[in-house]
Amino acid sequence: MCISQLELLIPTRYWKLNCFVGIHKPNTMKKFLICFSLIAFLFCSCQKSNSPKNTIDPIELRIDSLLDQMSVVEKIGQLALRGRSSRGEDALPEELLESVRKGEIGAFLNVMDTTHMRQLQHAARFESSHGIPLLFARDVIHGFKTIFPIPLGLAASWNPGMVEESSRIAALEASSVGIRWTFAPMLDICQDSRWGRIAESPGEDPYLAGELARAYVKGFQGDDLAAPTSMAACAKHFIGYGAAIGGRDYNTAIISHELLYNLYLPPFQASVQEGVASFMSSFNEVNGIPVTGSRKLLTNILREKMGFDGFVVSDWNSVIEMIAHGVAEDEEAAAQLAATAGLDMEMTSTAYEDFLEKLIKEGLVSEDQLDFYVRNILRAKFRLDLFDHPFIPSDHPGTFYAAPSLQLAKEAAIESSVLLKNDRLLPVRKSAKILLTGPLADKGREQLGTWTFDGEEEPSVTPREAIESADFFEGLSFSRDKDFSKITKVVDAARFADVIVYVGGEEAILSGEAHSRADIRLPGAQEACLKELAKTGKPILLVIMAGRPINISNLIDQVDAVLMMWHPGTMGGPALHDMLYGLAEPGGRLPVSWPKMAGQLPYFYNHKPTGRPATAESFVSINDIPVGAWQSSLGNESHYLDAGYEPLFPFGYGLSYSTFSYKDVMLSKNTLQEGEKVEVSVTLVNEGTFDSQEVVQLYVHDRTGRITRPVRQLKRFQKVKLNKGTMQKIHFTLHYDDFKYYDNEGKFDIEPGKVDIYVGGHSSASDKQTILIQ
């Protein structure tokens, strides 16, 4: 019994060599004494009691052993994440290997040459003083080789199971080349489609984002983090990155206490509950303090209140960027801010390496704090089983582009696609003569979307390749193409078609980090091309591939159907083929509100009512104001004269090829007290002629609170498949605590009063019942 504990406690290289046959070698006597002491300690522990209460965590004891042996400089080395170019790699410098041997580096980003990886790992594990393995990281965001829809697209699936499976495949493929840490999932709530990184976001709702957070962590980390097919997940960007003013990347975030706890923190809390291994601090400031230097956020909230026990890594250079923020005079001050805030690991910049030893000697940062950081990082490496299995196993089961993976990627693209309009066009008959056109109809690389460093164009199947029977005429050759001469040729080709399928949107580079847009209309000459095609009188299917909702207000009445595919990934073409011909139907629902124009942004369904909420009865449009009208406050409500008060499409919206109705929303009780629950039921009827699926959504509205409350809040959802002409009773359970919320004083509670409960197919659903909270 004690021997088995000892084998876990002491690293294999000490157990088999140093403790027994290596004490005659230089520098091994100390290791022998440590091993002997541990044996004695463990023997005494075993003699004292076998009760679970006295069980020793072998990982923590191994960490204690290492910390006792490490110098301050070696400890600081564990805090160093060194970056390599994401484009590729040069030869491995000998100086880099020597730094690893000296224990000056703890992890690497973007090392993709497996020979280099093995050299570096060998140097760390078998040529350094303490044999601490390296951790190799990569941005594996929505697939490694097999690329799935962008995260905003996966959020549109409203299918956490699909998200978990896609993340499992990403981990399987990436770990096969030694990547054991990914910088995903991104859990930033975003309410502004101008922001480039909305493409990576789970959307605007904290409940949906929380369900997806759990799925991502389960998928990446698997059932056992020690398995060679698992990757440590990283919840990012903590916190408020998606709240950037104006949707401009890296910009300031101003977040009240109630919004922080009710809106932005819940998906991160869900990831902690699921056991996420790491967090990433965000670039931005929150209320005047950059997150990377905020003890309130990184320690008081993340560690103490949320209970996170993993490690926190900075974003790229965000430690030294606190100088530009204006809160650190130089890199030494930046290192002190980050170290006292609660940042475990520094990505790419070297402020810790250059100044942390000095700061410790001067008493400005304690060595106990350093030990805490090293302990968190070592714990992750032990949990990943990197000490005993530092290399890629020869029998690793990961395979790129495996048939089941490609099938799931196709299903994910279908599940994520949102049908926004369908004026009796889809599905089309198989015999229809189709003109396939548009700048993204045959762009395998572009349909992969942002953050696909390892995705490849050749295995990616485009609409042109998948819809072989269509006549193809590209026209505009890229999304920003302004060559109007190409439009005439497309229009000429359209005259011989029964249906026009236009695949447009944004190239992948137009969304993602640092790629915010003030104007979110279709770029280039795409609008002009579609308007000319509309003049032919031929029915048009507009397929959008983009990293954000696109302003199509000027086009919506000129096309017959609109299908939002986001950037669908490797199997976007086959997915479109099946949806086009009715072999499958779009299964997505919007995870964000779709604005009429950028001037409405930020826009979100869960807004506050204001003292003058807009209504259809009192709204006054800019076109309805009489010339020479008296200078009065027409309408007297919160709206835009030229855009109204509603989005083009609400959160949760999406059509199917069938028609659903909701009947008999019922509650199991009319009052609710502390500790109780209420059952909510509704009858869903498929009244159409297709077997179909619907996302049944439940929202609540607290009529009167101690602070103002959102007009709607998503609390539950179910994705339901229902045969044509059938009905099904859908059940939800709400607990008393589901109605509680945080106020600006930090109080989490619900006061007595009425709460409306809505059930329907999107956030504007009107079927409701009311419950009295007592």
Side-chain angles (χ1 to χ4, degrees), residues 282-302:
S282 55
F283 286 114
N284 56 286
E285 66 163 83
V286 173
N287 303 336
I289 304 295
V291 175
T292 301
S294 173
R295 183 170 181 81
K296 174 183 177 181
L297 293 171
L298 296 185
T299 297
N300 301 146
I301 292 178
L302 180 58

Side-chain angles (χ1 to χ4, degrees), residues 9 38 41-42 56-66:
L9 173 64
L38 291 170
F41 174 77
L42 188 57
I56 302 169
D57 185 339
I59 287 180
E60 297 306 317
L61 288 176
R62 290 180 74 174
I63 293 172
D64 287 339
S65 172
L66 285 168

Side-chain angles (χ1 to χ4, degrees), residues 286-604:
V286 173
N287 303 336
I289 304 295
V291 175
T292 301
S294 173
R295 183 170 181 81
K296 174 183 177 181
L297 293 171
L298 296 185
T299 297
N300 301 146
I301 292 178
L302 180 58
R303 296 281 185 191
E304 296 169 3
K305 293 186 178 180
M306 296 173 62
F308 176 61
D309 73 343
F311 69 95
V312 182
V313 63
S314 76
D315 210 332
W316 189 286
N317 279 354
S318 69
V319 172
I320 62 174
E321 285 177 11
M322 288 193 286
I323 300 171
H325 272 290
V327 296
E329 183 178 2
D330 51 29
E331 292 192 13
E332 181 177 345
Q336 182 180 344
L337 274 175
T340 54
L343 185 83
D344 301 83
M345 183 180 284
E346 180 181 11
M347 184 191 294
T348 66
S349 55
T350 60
Y352 276 5
E353 177 182 328
D354 297 336
F355 298 105
L356 198 50
E357 182 182 20
K358 177 175 180 287
L359 290 167
I360 290 171
K361 286 179 179 178
E362 294 174 353
L364 298 175
V365 176
S366 71
E367 188 170 354
D368 285 345
Q369 184 73 56
L370 174 61
D371 287 352
F372 174 74
Y373 295 152
V374 177
R375 180 178 294 277
N376 293 334
I377 294 165
L378 293 179
R379 187 184 300 116
K381 292 181 177 182
F382 276 116
R383 288 175 175 173
L384 286 162
D385 198 29
L386 293 175
F387 280 85
D388 292 333
H389 298 94
F391 303 113
I392 306 166
S394 58
D395 59 348
H396 192 290
T399 302
F400 299 159
Y401 307 113
S405 302
L406 293 175
Q407 178 62 30
L408 185 67
K410 175 182 168 182
E411 292 172 6
I414 292 169
E415 288 267 309
S416 299
S417 294
V418 183
L419 185 60
L420 298 173
K421 178 181 179 179
N422 188 20
D423 191 3
R424 298 184 298 277
L425 176 58
L426 295 176
V428 303
R429 66 184 190 279
K430 191 67 176 178
S431 60
K433 185 175 178 59
I434 292 174
L435 172 67
L436 179 63
T437 185
L440 295 177
D442 194 30
K443 294 294 192 299
R445 189 67 183 84
E446 302 300 341
Q447 73 182 40
L448 301 182
T450 186
W451 290 106
T452 53
F453 295 143
D454 302 291
E456 298 171 293
E457 181 171 6
E458 186 57 36
S460 184
V461 185
T462 68
R464 181 189 183 182
E465 294 168 330
I467 310 172
E468 297 177 347
S469 60
D471 293 328
F472 175 71
F473 194 96
E474 183 176 59
L476 302 174
S477 58
F478 60 102
S479 71
R480 293 163 289 153
D481 193 346
K482 295 181 180 179
D483 187 347
F484 287 84
S485 66
K486 297 175 180 177
I487 296 176
T488 302
K489 297 177 182 178
V490 174
V491 171
D492 289 342
R495 301 187 194 283
F496 302 97
D498 296 323
V499 177
I500 300 168
V501 177
Y502 180 95
V503 185
E506 300 176 320
E507 297 149 79
I509 196 64
L510 297 187
S511 63
E513 185 173 349
H515 298 149
S516 300
R517 294 182 60 198
D519 182 351
I520 57 172
R521 293 178 297 175
L522 290 172
Q526 293 187 75
E527 280 196 9
C529 184
L530 282 161
K531 288 177 180 178
E532 289 301 313
L533 286 171
K535 292 178 182 178
T536 66
K538 300 298 177 72
I540 300 173
L541 166 61
L542 169 58
V543 179
I544 302 174
M545 293 185 180
R548 56 167 60 81
I550 297 295
N551 175 3
I552 55 172
S553 296
N554 293 333
L555 297 169
I556 192 69
D557 293 332
Q558 300 189 49
V559 297
D560 299 87
V562 180
L563 181 64
M564 178 56 165
M565 291 191 70
W566 316 98
H567 284 125
T570 302
M571 298 297 284
L576 177 58
H577 171 277
D578 285 8
M579 290 184 286
L580 182 65
Y581 292 115
L583 303 176
E585 69 165 355
R589 302 295 184 266
L590 291 177
V592 289
S593 302
W594 191 290
K596 293 175 182 174
M597 59 183 68
Q600 284 185 302
L601 297 169
Y603 191 97
F604 42 99

